[in-house]
Amino acid sequence: MAGNITFTMIKPTAMKKGYMGNIIAKIIEGGFKIKALKMTKMSKEEAMEFYAVHKERPFYNGLTDFMSSGPIIAAVLEKEDAVKAYRDFIGATNPENAAEGTIRALYGTSIEANAVHGSDSDENAIIESSFFFSKREWV
Ligand code: CMP
């Protein structure tokens, strides 16, 4: 059975451009319940740990530099079949291919600075949520 939890981050470029409020509003309008949320900043080491699954990929160094370059929002979201629902909702990884009206189409600027992260499996949703939040911080 699919889980009801996913994890998201609003990425540094979207934060710098002032899209934080619009993106959070859109997430709520999309029927996702916010279970935990914080503004924070990752160190390079933390970004490397978070994205360790991509460590062999050519974009790993650039991605982790970028993700540690400024403030982000980290949030745990709840909805039925949350991982798939949220991935459909935010659009394709590359904003150029993201469907009209999705968060990445509206607020993404490149494949790296694609406005938001979304978990790719139920297992990773829990791992990623636990990376940023203790169970006490979930409501
Ligand atoms: P995200 O959902 O944060 O998960 C992994 C990230 O790697 C992805 O969004 C993209 O921002 C980034 N990514 C994936 N493929 C590439 C690529 N070919 N070049 C640069 N960044 C990429």
Side-chain angles (χ1 to χ4, degrees):
M1 203 187 92
N4 294 336
I5 291 294
T6 193
F7 172 80
T8 190
M9 291 185 284
I10 303 178
K11 298 191 178 188
T13 302
M15 295 290 286
K16 272 186 207 118
K17 290 187 168 193
Y19 296 150
M20 170 176 98
N22 288 358
I23 292 174
I24 293 171
K26 200 161 166 55
I27 288 170
I28 295 168
E29 283 161 18
F32 296 88
K33 186 174 169 200
I34 295 178
K35 301 287 288 177
L37 184 142
K38 70 170 89 163
M39 183 160 75
T40 184
K41 186 175 180 297
M42 282 193 278
S43 66
K44 170 76 173 175
E45 291 69 29
E46 286 166 338
M48 288 170 72
E49 188 185 339
F50 184 89
Y51 281 112
V53 43
H54 296 303
K55 64 172 180 282
E56 306 302 335
R57 310 287 284 274
F59 57 81
Y60 179 64
N61 191 43
L63 177 66
T64 52
D65 275 349
F66 167 63
M67 288 303 294
S68 57
S69 69
I72 58 157
I73 295 277
V76 180
L77 307 177
E78 182 182 68
K79 193 181 189 180
E80 192 179 335
D81 197 3
V83 167
K84 182 177 187 308
Y86 192 64
R87 287 173 77 81
D88 290 347
F89 186 69
I90 63 181
T93 304
N94 188 340
E96 281 179 20
N97 304 326
E100 201 180 324
T102 59
I103 289 178
R104 283 171 168 165
L106 289 168
Y107 303 114
T109 43
S110 69
I111 191 164
E112 191 173 74
N114 57 356
V116 290
H117 166 78
S119 304
D120 63 2
S121 68
D122 291 342
E123 189 191 2
N124 283 338
I126 298 300
I127 293 170
E128 293 172 359
S129 298
S130 307
F131 186 90
F132 283 97
F133 298 98
S134 72
K135 224 24 187 162
R136 261 199 81 249
E137 295 173 289
W138 296 34
V139 296

